[in-house]
Amino acid sequence: MLKFFRKIRQKLLSESKFTKYLLYAIGEIVLVVIGILIALSINNSNDLKNQRQKELTLLTEMRQNLKIDLEDLDFNIKGSFERIQANEIILKALQERVPMNDSLKPYYGNIIGNFQLSNNTAAWENLKSVGVDLVSDDSLRNAISNLYEVKYTYLENTTKGVDDGHQWNTLYPQFLDLINMDQVWVSAEPVSHEALMDNRKFQETLKMNLFIRNFMLDQYETIHQDVNSLLDQIERHLLTLKEQ
């Protein structure tokens, strides 16, 4: 009987040691898992911080690019107004058969020429290279893509496909034949102002030029508003990033 109780005692001791070992092993595993989770959390936090810093840098660069674009747009808008005014005055003078005088020379000198937006795309190209998803605000990301991929592209295609074509294929050849340029965009005088009063082709060309000039002016003014709106969005988002 004593031998039997000794066997039971040894078994219980053995089971107790196993239970303690099992609990210790489970504890070690839990600690390892917790350590891994903490390390992953720190790593993810650092990655997110690096992403936001990169986003901040790129958007700051884009803000500067867009401000330069605004200066270019201001120049194009001002120049478009001047071309429109010159074309209107010369066309009216011809239609109303106003005699040639020195006051018309500056306007003759300004009937030709168009403009093209030299938009700065450095920040946009950098953003595309790392992925536009870097911009954490959905609305801002869509606005950026829409400006660079849609609106700027449409303006460029319209300038090259429509405006340039009329300027250099239609208006400029007639200008060379019919007008003597004293100084580009300063002064010019027609070979015969009186002959232009009856030159229907030249007057129709001026009318088409006015249509295109007004259309392009509207495009520049619209994009000017779009750029200002996007700048406001970027400014607000930059403040948010700096507060994080």
Side-chain angles (χ1 to χ4, degrees):
M1 181 64 71
L2 183 59
K3 188 176 181 180
F4 173 74
F5 282 115
R6 285 177 178 173
K7 286 183 178 181
I8 292 176
R9 181 172 177 274
Q10 288 176 349
K11 184 177 180 181
L12 289 172
L13 288 172
S14 177
E15 289 178 352
S16 177
K17 288 179 181 180
F18 176 76
T19 300
K20 288 181 180 179
Y21 175 77
L22 182 62
L23 290 174
Y24 173 77
I26 291 173
E28 286 293 313
I29 292 171
V30 169
L31 289 175
V32 170
V33 170
I34 291 173
I36 292 173
L37 291 175
I38 291 173
L40 287 173
S41 177
I42 293 173
N43 188 56
N44 289 338
S45 178
N46 288 335
D47 286 345
L48 184 60
K49 185 178 180 180
N50 290 335
Q51 273 193 312
R52 296 291 74 84
Q53 183 57 48
K54 187 179 293 185
E55 180 184 4
L56 181 67
T57 301
L58 276 172
L59 289 179
T60 300
E61 180 186 3
M62 184 173 288
R63 177 179 61 183
Q64 185 59 33
N65 287 174
L66 291 171
K67 286 181 178 180
I68 296 173
D69 287 353
L70 279 180
E71 294 177 3
D72 196 311
L73 287 164
D74 286 334
F75 176 82
N76 294 351
I77 289 170
K78 180 177 180 294
S80 294
F81 272 119
E82 292 172 352
R83 299 293 179 276
I84 289 169
Q85 182 187 40
N87 278 263
E88 287 177 339
I89 288 174
I90 294 301
L91 183 60
K92 183 178 180 182
L94 295 176
Q95 290 174 335
E96 296 181 357
R97 310 186 77 83
V98 176
M100 181 61 194
N101 58 80
D102 288 345
S103 67
L104 291 176
K105 288 184 178 181
Y107 300 114
Y108 266 114
N110 271 282
I111 61 175
I112 63 168
N114 62 338
F115 302 89
Q116 181 173 340
L117 175 64
S118 301
N119 53 303
N120 294 266
T121 60
W124 170 240
E125 294 300 328
N126 287 338
L127 179 59
K128 286 195 295 183
S129 69
V130 299
V132 293
D133 287 343
L134 178 69
V135 180
S136 53
D137 183 276
D138 293 343
S139 177
L140 177 58
R141 183 170 61 250
N142 291 334
I144 291 171
S145 298
N146 192 39
L147 178 69
Y148 284 98
E149 292 289 279
V150 179
K151 295 176 180 178
Y152 275 174
T153 300
Y154 175 77
L155 180 62
E156 181 181 2
N157 291 339
T158 303
T159 300
K160 293 180 179 179
V162 178
D163 196 6
D164 282 355
H166 178 74
Q167 281 288 311
W168 308 117
N169 298 331
T170 304
L171 177 59
Y172 192 58
Q174 292 185 54
F175 189 90
L176 288 177
D177 287 339
L178 302 171
I179 298 172
N180 294 317
M181 177 68 76
D182 298 326
Q183 188 175 348
V184 180
W185 298 322
V186 175
S187 178
E189 186 173 356
V191 175
S192 173
H193 179 71
E194 289 71 21
L196 291 183
M197 294 177 184
D198 298 314
N199 190 326
R200 179 178 177 277
K201 180 179 179 181
F202 183 73
Q203 292 185 35
E204 291 301 314
T205 299
L206 290 185
K207 290 177 185 178
M208 179 55 70
N209 195 44
L210 271 170
F211 173 79
I212 295 174
R213 298 270 61 73
N214 278 290
F215 177 79
M216 295 305 299
L217 174 61
D218 181 67
Q219 297 304 306
Y220 290 132
E221 289 178 332
T222 299
I223 290 186
H224 193 283
Q225 293 173 0
D226 293 334
V227 171
N228 270 319
S229 177
L230 181 56
L231 277 171
D232 288 341
Q233 283 186 266
I234 290 175
E235 292 286 2
R236 291 195 298 271
H237 189 60
L238 287 175
L239 287 176
T240 301
L241 290 175
K242 291 174 182 178
E243 291 171 356
Q244 291 180 356

